[in-house]
Amino acid sequence: MKAAKDLLICNARLVDPEAGNVRMGALRISGGVISACHDTPWPDVGDADTMDARGKCLAPGIVDIGVKVGEPGERHKESYRTAGAAAAAGGITTIVTRADTEPCIDTPEALEFIRRRASADALVNVSHMAALTKGRQGREMTEIGFLRDAGAVAFSDHDRVHRDAKTLGRAMTYAAGLGALIITHPQEPTLSDGACTTSGKFASLRGLSSVSPMAERMGLDRDLALAEITGVALHADQITTARALPALQRAKDAGLNVTAGISIHHLTLNELDVADYRTFFKLTPPLRSEEDRQAMIEAVRSGLIDLISTIHTPQDEELKRLPFEVAASGAVGLETALPVLLRLYHADTLDLPTLFKALSLNPARRLGLDCGRLAPGGPADLVLFDPDKPIILDRFKLQSKSKNTPFDNARLQGKVLATFVAGQKVYSA
Amino acid sequence: MRFDQRHLLGIEPLRPDEITTLLDLSDRYVTLNKRRDKHASVLSGLTQINMFFENSTRTQASFEIAGKRLGADVMNMAMQASSIKKGETLIDTALTLNAMHPDLLVVRHPQSGAVDLLAQKVNCAVINAGDGRHEHPTQALLDALTIRRAKGRLHRLKIAICGDIAHSRVARSNILLLGKMENRVRLIGPPTLMPSQIADFGVEVFHDMEQGLRDADVVMMLRLQRERMDGGFIPSEREYFHRYGLNAKKLALAHPDAIVMHPGPMNRGVEIDGTLADDINRSVIQEQVEMGVAVRMAAMDILARNLRASPKEVMV
């Protein structure tokens, strides 16, 4: 069989998070791998197919840690097929799925099952997280070794926060011995249980149960202290409040193996967006004040917050059409991530290399993946997008089975034109 | 006279002139209610459904009497006993009721925002009879009417609201209404019973009751909402009564003509001294109940006028 021809993507604005710049150039793909990165927009073609990017942006594909796919248990909310299609449409080339399914992914057998489902159906690369404790109950650790051998890239009980520091500490100690990554959701659970807004004037006006932003700092303080004792590699899934940042900075300065993320929604929305009890804006953790949002943008800019995730959480209409306090939490984000985050680019608060460092390079590095870069040798996982194209988001046109985005009807700027996974075009607008 | 609302979901969306309009109309119904023949016909032909998802005696009775005196066909639905138990969602319940073509829907619900949600799904006028810890607009309006009739005005008064502010929808609606009408609102209570950042609402906060009561024109006591507390807000009821219960001695610090109010039901000996509550020279608690009927008549009257003025929409 004859090997596939090379593909040369010419005349592109290359967004290079590693070099920290945007430059005109071209990219050659051979056998699913980036084989050359040219600094001229029209290099010698040689024996290759060409594609004219028409001066649009070409960036390493997004690596999204923390995507909820409803398999097993809630396939009516999202399947591997629809999640893959949504990711491809959003320029996301690797999704890292959460273990908070029904039942949760806490055995190698369950992991085998979803790996099969993912490889059969998903258009993009899929990696999986596994639960840290059995049944996510916070009592006994899962078979971390077996799960890792079966392909789990990280271990987390997600939004079910560990109440018992001793159990968490032991799991961390064990994981550290294996070099496994643990992801925690930093909250003080006795404060955050049952809360659906951030305490403050808005929560008081609406009469909603609320949690102090301090609960995040308390949770982070504990998790960092345990990471310090155990030496585990720790990632805090969502740091959303300014008060938590000094602790994170101290831990990084002290050389702990610690990273932190934030969701696209906490960077672009604040607590007032809930307005008249709009349940599509109910998230975990709840949306924060505008001051916190600004502080988080600055933390992404400075690199203190390492990566941005969608925390894609599909929910069906029924679970959202309830009074705010009892409605389901979470929002879909795979397809909206890029146009929504480009708001920050258009507002001149984050430049493109910084965005893609947080979206592609850093998450790939954290998981030890080779993607996330434009350098030769890496897999040709790429997104071609027009950062200026105006769009009006229509939630019913999303590929996700669930349509619970807070950005319905939003005027956004930025459109994914094509997505490549291992050199194959999996999406084109 | 203008009232540009389709529903009465809270005080927050109301303009001061709309509040005055409602209170002026209420005054006329107070007069009607004092007559032997209390019937009017402004709601005749209209159907009023009272949906109470939470126990209520006085508010439900007040709405029922108000509707009947104005000639509406009134139906009470005790929602705890019905389909909710069978797992029907709030929206399905609303759509079911909507199909019966009610004109006025009076709703009380234990969750904040539930009445707003329901109002989006029906095409009749909705009155919020209390939702969670959010708002209870007719209570605030009846309190305002009581104050206006006792004091002769509803502005530039010093009004002390005392007790469990955090769990109280009555307090929220009153703070909003009295603020809109340009009064000085003071909140008195232990810090554990104050909502977060409440000072941003343009109120003064006192943790010492004696300081807070000084020269007050109106003293509004709130019920300690023991059923909404999940433990540990106050050390004991006797310490609470000692520090925040209203008695004659503390009331003496207020303005000599100060009136005492309470939205009921009272916990005698917990937030208010029993003899003080019964003192007809100071307490207007019975008047509040009387004003309640008039205010609810006015609210339903005015919403019904808007309803009749607009063509009936077709539900999508």
Side-chain angles (χ1 to χ4, degrees):
Chain A
M1 201 177 92
K2 199 174 150 230
K5 261 190 181 176
D6 288 5
L7 175 66
L8 188 67
I9 305 175
C10 307
N11 193 23
R13 277 170 74 197
L14 302 177
V15 179
D16 187 341
E18 227 175 0
N21 62 27
V22 180
R23 57 184 193 271
M24 288 307 291
L27 207 70
R28 186 182 294 270
I29 300 167
S30 329
V33 173
I34 299 172
S35 56
C37 192
H38 303 281
D39 281 339
T40 51
W42 300 103
D44 280 343
V45 176
D47 181 29
D49 292 329
T50 58
M51 176 181 168
D52 181 1
R54 295 167 193 276
K56 304 304 183 205
C57 293
L58 187 67
I62 296 167
V63 178
D64 190 9
I65 300 179
V67 174
K68 170 78 180 275
V69 178
E71 295 189 55
E74 295 168 302
R75 211 167 140 184
H76 65 289
K77 292 183 180 175
E78 195 83 281
S79 68
Y80 275 99
R81 182 184 302 281
T82 54
I92 294 168
T93 49
T94 301
I95 58 176
V96 182
T97 63
R98 301 212 300 255
D100 56 347
T101 48
E102 195 55 54
C104 70
I105 309 304
D106 60 354
T107 60
E109 291 75 16
L111 187 58
E112 285 291 339
F113 168 76
I114 56 166
R115 279 180 64 118
R116 270 203 310 278
R117 293 287 309 124
S119 64
D121 273 358
L123 279 174
V124 299
N125 303 314
V126 183
S127 296
H128 305 279
M129 290 190 255
L132 182 63
T133 63
K134 288 175 186 155
R136 300 200 297 137
Q137 297 289 320
R139 284 196 285 272
E140 293 171 82
M141 71 178 93
T142 51
E143 294 170 313
I144 296 175
F146 278 155
L147 283 161
R148 210 172 63 121
D149 294 345
V153 295
F155 295 84
S156 180
D157 287 339
H158 306 295
D159 60 352
R160 206 171 288 167
V161 182
H162 303 98
R163 288 170 179 275
D164 183 356
K166 192 184 265 181
T167 308
L168 178 60
R170 279 201 193 118
M172 282 184 174
T173 306
Y174 191 84
L178 287 164
L181 175 68
I182 284 187
I183 300 182
T184 60
H185 181 75
Q187 282 292 320
E188 168 51 50
T190 56
L191 291 178
S192 63
D193 277 356
C196 60
T197 52
T198 304
S199 60
K201 186 181 177 189
F202 181 77
S204 293
L205 184 64
R206 288 287 177 268
L208 291 169
S209 58
S210 62
V211 57
S212 163
M214 209 57 107
E216 183 174 287
R217 181 181 120 184
M218 292 169 70
L220 182 65
D221 276 337
R222 180 193 72 168
D223 294 353
L224 290 175
L226 289 171
E228 188 176 334
I229 302 170
T230 60
V232 76
L234 176 72
H235 175 67
D237 66 350
Q238 298 181 68
I239 295 299
T240 57
T241 58
R243 287 188 190 272
L245 293 176
L248 185 63
Q249 184 71 62
R250 276 197 303 279
K252 287 190 164 187
D253 291 346
L256 301 191
N257 187 353
V258 169
T259 51
I262 187 168
S263 85
I264 56 170
H265 300 108
H266 289 89
L267 283 175
T268 51
L269 301 169
N270 67 31
E271 57 185 348
L272 301 181
D273 286 305
V274 169
D276 290 323
Y277 303 100
R278 294 195 287 174
T279 56
F280 280 20
F281 292 77
K282 182 177 176 181
L283 303 173
T284 308
L287 287 169
R288 306 302 193 181
S289 68
E290 178 61 11
E291 294 74 43
D292 278 334
R293 187 183 78 89
Q294 296 289 350
M296 292 305 116
I297 294 172
E298 179 52 32
V300 170
R301 209 187 55 71
S302 73
L304 180 55
I305 298 281
D306 303 86
L307 54 96
I308 304 171
S309 306
T310 64
I311 313 292
H312 179 81
T313 307
Q315 297 287 7
D316 57 44
E317 303 283 306
E318 299 309 317
L319 292 173
K320 283 287 186 185
R321 286 171 61 186
L322 291 171
F324 195 85
E325 284 182 321
V326 291
S329 180
V332 293
L334 290 172
E335 284 152 273
T336 53
L338 196 51
V340 161
L341 288 173
L342 284 171
R343 275 186 175 176
L344 303 176
Y345 160 72
H346 291 296
D348 279 335
T349 42
L350 291 179
D351 59 20
L352 290 175
T354 307
L355 266 179
F356 277 88
K357 202 172 168 186
L359 284 169
S360 307
L361 181 64
N362 285 349
R365 276 189 179 158
R366 192 50 167 153
L367 298 173
L369 303 175
D370 200 22
C371 56
R373 303 173 299 141
L374 289 183
D381 294 349
L382 301 163
V383 52
L384 180 70
F385 66 99
D386 177 351
D388 300 313
K389 170 102 176 156
I391 57 165
I392 297 174
L393 196 112
D394 176 354
R395 70 186 184 106
F396 293 107
K397 294 204 172 130
L398 295 178
Q399 305 280 330
S400 281
K401 272 193 192 173
S402 297
K403 314 294 183 193
N404 54 309
T405 172
F407 294 105
D408 190 30
N409 279 323
R411 267 91 177 139
L412 300 168
Q413 244 183 304
K415 187 170 169 53
V416 174
L417 302 173
T419 305
F420 299 86
V421 173
Q424 297 296 312
K425 196 187 273 187
V426 293
Y427 172 80
S428 78
Chain B
M1 189 180 89
R2 280 188 64 184
F3 188 82
D4 297 330
Q5 311 284 332
R6 182 177 148 79
H7 307 293
L8 182 60
L9 299 177
I11 298 298
E12 197 190 352
L14 300 185
R15 299 188 309 265
D17 68 293
E18 289 174 321
I19 293 169
T20 306
T21 297
L22 264 173
L23 296 181
D24 291 347
L25 186 59
S26 305
D27 262 328
R28 286 164 43 196
Y29 282 119
V30 175
T31 316
L32 175 78
N33 285 338
K34 288 186 196 293
R35 296 199 325 232
R36 181 78 57 200
D37 175 13
K38 301 179 181 67
H39 258 282
S41 58
V42 296
L43 297 188
S44 76
L46 301 186
T47 305
Q48 172 194 344
I49 300 183
N50 297 335
M51 277 171 91
F52 280 66
F53 292 87
E54 201 179 64
N55 278 329
S56 161
T57 314
R58 57 184 65 214
T59 307
Q60 187 171 344
S62 183
F63 271 108
E64 185 174 354
I65 290 172
K68 285 183 170 162
R69 285 191 183 159
L70 294 180
D73 297 315
V74 185
M75 196 182 84
N76 287 313
M77 294 183 72
M79 297 309 297
Q80 281 157 317
S82 75
S83 45
I84 298 300
K85 288 261 161 67
K86 299 174 195 159
E88 191 176 63
T89 66
L90 180 63
I91 287 181
D92 285 334
T93 308
L95 292 176
T96 305
L97 276 181
N98 196 56
M100 300 178 196
H101 300 293
D103 303 287
L104 292 157
L105 208 52
V106 178
V107 186
R108 170 170 287 191
H109 198 281
Q111 253 124 20
S112 303
V115 183
D116 292 64
L117 177 67
L118 204 145
Q120 291 163 17
K121 305 291 172 188
V122 296
N123 41 22
C124 58
V126 176
I127 298 180
N128 181 359
D131 63 325
R133 295 178 286 168
H134 177 218
E135 282 228 47
H136 190 355
T138 55
Q139 179 71 41
L141 287 162
L142 75 89
D143 288 340
L145 184 63
T146 310
I147 294 169
R148 197 172 81 165
R149 290 171 69 94
K151 293 285 162 194
R153 66 175 198 270
L154 189 60
H155 55 90
R156 298 180 68 186
L157 293 167
K158 292 193 194 78
I159 298 166
I161 305 177
C162 183
D164 180 3
I165 315 284
H167 298 96
S168 174
R169 53 195 173 214
V170 176
R172 279 176 182 71
S173 288
N174 265 312
I175 291 166
L176 292 169
L177 189 151
L178 296 169
K180 278 178 200 273
M181 305 312 280
E182 301 185 3
N183 296 283
R184 282 182 67 175
V185 178
R186 299 170 177 178
L187 304 181
I188 304 171
T192 45
L193 295 178
M194 290 288 168
S196 65
Q197 288 183 22
I198 191 68
D200 290 355
F201 284 64
V203 295
E204 296 167 88
V205 178
F206 294 86
H207 301 310
D208 178 339
M209 191 172 189
E210 272 135 38
Q211 274 182 29
L213 286 180
R214 205 148 282 155
D215 298 324
D217 298 297
V218 176
V219 181
M220 197 181 282
M221 301 304 296
L222 296 175
R223 188 169 65 90
L224 201 58
Q225 305 230 7
R226 281 172 286 192
E227 73 278 11
R228 283 185 197 279
M229 292 187 183
D230 44 11
F233 287 88
I234 53 165
S236 71
E237 285 180 2
R238 63 179 193 174
E239 178 163 329
Y240 182 81
F241 183 66
H242 175 71
R243 298 193 62 206
Y244 296 105
L246 187 66
N247 57 23
K249 188 167 155 254
K250 286 182 193 155
L251 184 60
L253 296 165
H255 195 274
D257 295 332
I259 55 169
V260 175
M261 305 175 75
H262 193 297
M266 278 183 281
N267 298 312
R268 286 171 189 259
V270 178
E271 68 251 352
I272 190 162
D273 181 69
T275 45
L276 191 58
D278 297 332
D279 179 356
I280 52 162
N281 294 317
R282 308 304 296 274
S283 159
V284 293
I285 294 168
Q286 296 309 312
E287 277 89 329
Q288 284 176 273
V289 179
E290 186 188 340
M291 296 307 123
V293 177
V295 156
R296 283 158 188 141
M297 290 165 87
M300 289 195 287
D301 178 3
I302 218 155
L303 290 178
R305 288 183 207 192
N306 288 354
L307 211 58
R308 291 191 207 266
S310 68
K312 192 140 187 167
E313 289 168 41
V314 180
M315 192 73 184
V316 187

